Amino acid sequence: MVLGRILKGLKKTREKLGSGLARLFGGGRKLDQDFLDELEEVLYTADLGPTGSDIVREIEVAWRKKKIADVDGVRGYLREALLARLAHSEGALRTSAQRPTVILVAGVNGSGKTTSIAKLAKHLKGRGDKVLLCASDTFRAAAVEQLALWASRIGCDIVKTATGADPAAVAFDATEAAIARGVDWLIVDTAGRLHTQKNLMRELDKIVRVIQKRLPDAPHETLLVLDATTGQNAIRQASEFNAVRPVTGLILAKLDGTAKGGAVFGIRRELEIPVKFVGLGEGIDDLEPFAAESFVDGVLGELGAERVSGS
Amino acid sequence: MALHGESTSATFPSMFDNLTSAFSKALDKLRGQKKLTEENMQEGLKAVRQALLEADVHFKVAKDFVARVRDKAVGLDLIQKVDPGQQFIKLFQDELTELMGPEAVSLPHSSSGPTIVMMAGLQGSGKTTTCAKLAQLMRKRKKKRCLLVAADLQRPAAVDQLQALGKQLGIDVYAEGTDKRPPEVCKRGIEHAKKLGHDFVILDTAGRLHIDDALMRELEQIASECKPTAVVLVCDAMLGQDAVNSAKEFHARLPLSGVILTKLDGDTRGGAAMSVKAVTGCPVLFVGVGEKVEDLEEFHPDRMADRILGMGDVTSLVERAQEVMDEKEAEKAAKKMLKGRFTFEDFLKQLRMIQKLGSMKKVLGMLPGVGQAIKDIDIDDKHFGRIEAMILSMTPRERRNPDLIDTNRRRRIAKGSGNDVQAVHGLIKQFKQMQKMFGKLGKGGSLPPGFGGTPTKGGFRQPPKGSFPGGLGGMPPQWRRYEPAHGRLDTISPALPAFAWNASAVMAMLVPSSGDANDFGDPTWSS
């Protein structure tokens, strides 16, 4: 069950952040300036950035106007405020009217692209769909081998060439193969690139143009993989990638650590990009559709009454 | 240099934009003050704290840092005649250096037997790439015989990746099948090194979460069984607030010698760098600053502080410059520039010298105040090639006397260099302007606004009149931006002024003369 898995993945997040918030909300605290300062600190350490300060300021105003009387009132307000900021942030994968649906996956180095692609392919294959992978990360040593290993584990086809080859050429071959074989999905892996490397960002654009030679409306999804442990820089990444190739969705990887992925709030502030999936571990099944409510509850550490602990 | 105009720094969102503007806000408040007090610093300090947080400095670290600066500043006796704002900056700089250092720390080496360095870190932090970079650095600088041990048996094809990197660089790699246990592989790798005479062994381990107890225990086992000379945590510079949590946990379980900070070449503000040392006490040893295998540098807290404060990293630049440039040539060229007797031949020499330093963006980024301004500009080093081709298509006489180059000659040069005539027009126009400007400077004339002047409140600081004829008389004006608080420029190296003038010439050719950001649409720049 989706909620259950996010619950599990966010368990540590919750223990960490939850402990901060639990300390705040638990011990019969009085609502005063000290309380609000501490709340701001806890939200900051969850990478919420200025969003946290904004919410605390709102709470402060509501408190002074006597709209919020106590700590319980703050908790309720906080949850609503976080949810409101994630309104319309959920979204299913888009599909093309005609096969194949092309998904381009991009991100900075080490964000978790290849692993996320493997999980995504497994997820789609589990629905009974035919999936083809394209190894367009021809830059990093053994990236092709990494994806090929995943492909054989999942049991799906892959189009690849040697490291150092032109990534756009591989993408073109893969597009042709996807059409010829009548697959449902073509997932294109790309090399990690820092969003500040303009020439590499242009290469991304070239890959798209080449795919479009055969499928003018592709890619139907451009997914940006973000590392949940990234701080405020995630916002820059999202906006820079979005400027080169309109990003249609985010995959928030590595949410199984103690990081809270709070940068998502900052991204939502600036860009209307939905979060499509969250990555919750190294296992091939550790990918789940994003659910705003579970995410916020996980961040707040309030899932269920029981405190998950241990294992 | 157009880059230094105030308008440009406002136009380009910068790496430390907020931090820089927070500082200037703080400084504005301090103008004309005789003393630094809690009151007159309050607003500025708050802005600074905010900016540090936006740079991903850990909340507590930022809080403590600001408190410490405030306490020190209140007790500070301002030196007469020196701008209080400048002294405030100096204080920040010192505190930043203190926080991240204060001294550069080097990797421990073994006195007997091979030095064994064990790498650890979260997934995707850049361990495998860093292993290769470190091996390359040790081989080149310390003449070490390196062995890479592939002990990441978790991530598919991680072993292949290390082997491919080793092959590429000609560095030996020890690998076994992925069905083995990492501690065993490491031990056998070290035995292998001892047998074959490698004196520097790097253990590449799998990325893992700090809360994954089983995998953390595996690291502890490797550390206790292999007795590495150093255990290094590889840390992504883009990490957010959680950086300190993971670093703390790794530190608690492993005898960490230090940290390597990766991906610092992005626009990350590097807040993690400031926090990790503060929270764990582990020094940053190296920083990864690019995709290439050479792009690993020793970490210098004072230089990082300069970068954070928008002061560039002149020290590193000079060190590199000294490796590649001919000091006498540079000085000769600089003197010619200032006498207005500068030719395309001289320029070609300068161009080639600067090119040897690395990519133009990197070089420019190390100059005071320039890094932020050009962050978002795409500097294509191919333009160097184009300029070079045009100059090489000129006859020696033309190079010495650009006035000779009429329309026909321009057409020939364009054809010969594979450019259009417009590009040749642009080059010659730019060159003449530059010649004129530096000639004027040499005579102690004044700089056009936005062209090399140092932006100050009251306009542009001008070089002292008549200080150039005969000798170089110091640094080009834009390099003096942070003097006197940052008055090291002239003292770093006697060769610096000559180099600076040469670099200025190349930059002047690349950056059109007006201070308007829109002018970066010139053929030599594309964004």
Side-chain angles (χ1 to χ4, degrees):
Chain A
M1 183 183 163
V2 172
L3 194 73
R5 294 202 51 84
I6 292 196
L7 193 153
K8 198 176 148 228
L10 281 174
K11 184 189 71 209
K12 299 290 183 184
T13 306
R14 195 149 39 92
E15 279 169 0
K16 177 72 193 74
L17 188 77
S19 67
L21 285 176
R23 183 171 43 80
L24 266 180
F25 289 119
R29 287 278 303 257
K30 209 172 123 244
L31 176 52
D32 52 18
Q33 194 57 49
D34 278 353
F35 178 88
L36 292 176
D37 288 348
E38 276 179 57
L39 181 62
E40 188 181 5
E41 173 173 344
V42 175
L43 294 179
Y44 251 112
T45 52
D47 286 323
L48 261 73
T51 303
S53 299
D54 289 354
I55 295 177
V56 171
R57 213 114 310 134
E58 284 172 27
I59 291 174
E60 192 180 339
V61 170
W63 170 49
R64 300 225 185 268
K65 287 184 180 164
K66 311 237 182 299
K67 283 182 186 150
I68 295 178
D70 54 17
V71 166
D72 273 345
V74 172
R75 194 208 319 250
Y77 189 97
L78 179 61
R79 187 174 186 276
E80 288 309 311
L82 291 173
L83 272 177
R85 281 164 170 80
L86 291 180
H88 312 295
S89 60
E90 300 169 13
L93 278 182
R94 299 180 188 190
T95 48
S96 164
Q98 276 172 330
R99 281 186 297 193
T101 299
V102 180
I103 303 177
L104 180 77
V105 181
V108 300
N109 316 54
S111 57
K113 283 176 298 302
T114 307
T115 309
S116 294
I117 287 170
K119 292 176 183 174
L120 187 58
K122 175 80 191 317
H123 170 82
L124 294 170
K125 200 160 179 283
R127 308 195 326 197
D129 292 354
K130 258 182 100 177
V131 182
L132 179 66
L133 300 181
C134 167
S136 271
D137 179 356
T138 56
F139 179 79
R140 181 167 63 84
V144 174
E145 286 81 350
Q146 188 182 348
L147 193 68
L149 266 172
W150 279 120
S152 75
R153 280 186 204 172
I154 302 160
C156 67
D157 288 345
I158 179 169
V159 174
K160 57 176 186 179
T161 59
T163 300
D166 176 12
V170 191
F172 184 78
D173 290 348
T175 309
E176 298 237 289
I179 297 167
R181 297 179 202 178
V183 300
D184 300 290
W185 304 90
L186 170 64
I187 310 179
V188 183
D189 188 15
T190 62
R193 65 203 74 219
L194 292 183
H195 48 294
T196 48
Q197 296 162 328
K198 296 280 156 67
N199 54 336
L200 288 178
M201 294 298 273
R202 275 199 294 267
E203 178 195 275
L204 201 59
D205 199 49
K206 187 183 168 195
I207 293 174
V208 169
R209 275 185 282 121
V210 162
I211 294 172
Q212 285 172 341
K213 282 190 179 160
R214 294 307 313 270
L215 296 168
D217 58 341
H220 310 92
E221 283 276 15
T222 301
L223 299 181
L224 178 68
V225 180
L226 286 177
D227 183 334
T229 61
T230 306
Q232 300 306 301
N233 192 255
I235 302 163
R236 294 298 290 263
Q237 291 173 26
S239 64
E240 296 287 325
F241 272 96
N242 193 51
V244 175
R245 273 305 309 158
V247 175
T248 57
L250 302 175
I251 296 181
L252 193 59
K254 307 186 205 175
L255 203 56
D256 49 331
T258 47
K260 301 91 199 171
V264 164
F265 290 97
I267 294 172
R268 289 296 301 180
R269 242 161 100 115
E270 318 237 328
L271 303 160
E272 288 285 307
I273 303 174
V275 186
K276 303 232 160 156
F277 294 97
V278 291
L280 300 166
E282 285 207 304
I284 186 73
D285 294 313
D286 296 330
L287 184 81
E288 291 297 334
F290 176 76
E293 199 145 343
S294 312
F295 181 72
V296 167
D297 281 339
V299 162
L300 291 178
E302 287 187 0
L303 270 181
E306 95 283 17
R307 298 279 313 278
V308 183
S309 59
S311 69
Chain B
M1 252 87 311
L3 295 175
H4 301 282
E6 272 175 320
S7 64
T8 51
S9 52
T11 313
F12 301 114
S14 80
M15 169 153 43
F16 297 106
D17 224 10
N18 293 328
L19 194 56
T20 314
S21 68
F23 276 117
S24 50
K25 213 170 165 181
L27 300 188
D28 278 349
K29 285 264 162 197
L30 297 176
R31 220 162 284 283
Q33 300 281 346
K34 289 206 174 60
K35 242 183 137 61
L36 297 172
T37 66
E38 277 200 45
E39 286 69 43
N40 64 22
M41 286 189 299
Q42 195 184 26
E43 196 180 314
L45 283 169
K46 206 176 156 191
V48 166
R49 172 178 161 275
Q50 197 67 26
L52 291 172
L53 288 174
E54 279 172 36
D56 289 322
V57 174
H58 188 261
F59 192 90
K60 283 208 172 72
V61 175
K63 206 167 146 184
D64 294 348
F65 178 79
V66 170
R68 218 167 31 244
V69 170
R70 186 182 47 223
D71 292 348
K72 287 207 175 157
V74 168
L76 193 72
D77 279 327
L78 292 183
I79 304 162
Q80 292 296 312
K81 287 185 198 159
V82 178
D83 182 13
Q86 293 284 7
Q87 296 185 50
F88 190 61
I89 281 203
K90 181 86 173 72
L91 186 64
F92 260 100
Q93 199 186 356
D94 291 348
E95 282 300 310
L96 276 175
T97 307
E98 185 74 32
L99 185 72
M100 295 183 290
E103 301 292 334
V105 177
S106 42
L107 192 68
H109 282 259
S110 169
S111 46
S112 65
T115 296
I116 300 160
V117 179
M118 171 182 166
M119 305 288 232
L122 299 170
Q123 291 99 338
S125 51
K127 281 176 299 304
T128 306
T129 309
T130 305
C131 284
K133 285 181 177 178
L134 184 62
Q136 175 78 348
L137 188 84
M138 287 301 154
R139 183 174 64 177
K140 266 182 126 175
R141 290 258 181 90
K142 310 246 150 119
K143 309 284 174 242
K144 293 281 180 193
R145 279 199 67 206
C146 298
L147 179 74
L148 296 166
V149 178
D152 177 356
L153 311 178
Q154 198 86 12
R155 180 164 57 91
V159 175
D160 299 336
Q161 186 185 349
L162 198 67
Q163 279 175 324
L165 287 168
K167 204 174 154 197
Q168 219 175 20
L169 300 171
I171 289 170
D172 296 335
V173 176
Y174 179 83
E176 297 183 15
T178 49
D179 54 338
K180 304 285 168 35
R181 289 183 54 256
E184 305 296 323
V185 174
C186 288
K187 274 202 293 197
R188 284 192 290 265
I190 293 165
E191 283 313 310
H192 179 82
K194 285 178 182 161
K195 230 182 281 163
L196 293 179
H198 293 94
D199 52 4
F200 200 91
V201 184
I202 301 172
L203 311 175
D204 183 23
T205 65
R208 65 203 73 215
L209 280 172
H210 50 292
I211 50 172
D212 189 327
D213 193 53
L215 286 177
M216 288 302 284
R217 229 176 290 160
E218 183 189 275
L219 281 186
E220 288 172 328
Q221 206 187 336
I222 296 176
S224 70
E225 288 178 14
C226 298
K227 308 213 168 21
T229 321
V231 184
V232 174
L233 180 68
V234 181
C235 222
D236 186 330
M238 295 184 292
L239 278 177
Q241 297 280 323
D242 200 49
V244 297
N245 292 329
S246 49
K248 258 200 260 178
E249 190 60 30
F250 274 100
H251 186 52
R253 303 189 70 150
L254 296 167
L256 289 187
S257 322
V259 172
I260 296 182
L261 212 57
T262 60
K263 306 180 209 173
L264 203 64
D265 49 329
D267 54 358
T268 175
R269 300 168 193 177
M274 294 169 60
S275 310
V276 166
K277 169 77 197 343
V279 171
T280 65
C282 290
V284 180
L285 303 170
F286 297 96
V287 288
V289 293
E291 295 252 304
K292 285 194 216 101
V293 77
E294 284 80 20
D295 294 331
L296 186 74
E297 294 174 355
E298 273 154 19
F299 179 78
H300 296 277
D302 52 338
R303 300 179 193 181
M304 183 74 182
D306 284 2
R307 279 189 196 192
I308 287 171
L309 293 173
M311 291 178 175
D313 186 355
V314 183
T315 321
S316 298
L317 185 61
V318 169
E319 281 181 0
R320 278 164 87 162
Q322 279 171 333
E323 282 172 27
V324 301
M325 80 172 197
D326 181 336
E327 230 173 274
K328 282 207 179 100
E329 278 287 338
E331 196 173 322
K332 222 168 86 190
K335 281 186 180 159
K336 275 176 101 176
M337 277 166 69
L338 292 168
K339 282 180 186 154
R341 275 194 241 131
F342 187 59
T343 69
F344 269 119
E345 272 176 346
D346 301 318
F347 179 67
L348 193 61
K349 276 185 206 154
Q350 291 180 332
L351 193 66
R352 288 175 172 165
M353 182 190 87
I354 300 291
Q355 263 178 309
K356 275 194 237 162
L357 285 178
S359 92
M360 199 58 199
K361 184 142 190 171
K362 213 183 235 165
V363 174
L364 292 179
M366 291 166 129
L367 299 179
V370 183
Q372 317 86 330
I374 59 159
K375 187 195 108 348
D376 281 345
I377 305 174
D378 189 11
I379 302 172
D380 190 348
D381 282 0
K382 281 185 198 140
H383 294 306
F384 280 113
R386 242 163 270 162
I387 292 179
E388 206 174 327
M390 284 191 269
I391 299 175
L392 289 175
S393 294
M394 296 172 188
T395 64
R397 259 184 78 206
E398 286 166 349
R399 287 179 217 165
R400 280 189 294 261
N401 187 4
D403 286 332
L404 272 180
I405 311 175
D406 58 12
T407 318
N408 270 335
R409 287 175 187 255
R410 284 178 195 212
R411 221 171 282 145
R412 192 203 75 238
I413 291 165
K415 236 182 196 167
S417 63
N419 283 288
D420 56 26
V421 186
Q422 284 307 316
V424 181
H425 286 328
L427 177 76
I428 291 169
K429 196 177 145 200
Q430 197 72 36
F431 184 77
K432 283 185 176 167
Q433 267 180 16
M434 190 214 11
Q435 230 181 359
K436 214 166 115 190
M437 178 192 71
F438 282 108
K440 236 181 174 174
L441 266 180
K443 290 193 193 83
S446 67
L447 282 171
F451 203 128
T454 309
T456 62
K457 263 282 143 171
F460 289 85
R461 194 194 293 175
Q462 300 294 347
K465 289 210 175 213
S467 60
F468 296 114
L472 292 178
M475 301 291 292
Q478 70 276 10
W479 291 63
R480 297 188 206 130
R481 186 169 181 179
Y482 291 100
E483 290 166 340
H486 189 245
R488 316 191 309 224
L489 296 187
D490 287 301
T491 55
I492 293 169
S493 144
L496 186 61
F499 165 73
W501 284 104
N502 282 274
S504 300
V506 174
M507 282 157 68
M509 285 296 285
L510 283 178
V511 188
S513 57
S514 128
D516 186 351
N518 295 328
D519 276 6
F520 288 117
D522 180 83
T524 50
W525 298 75
S526 63
S527 43

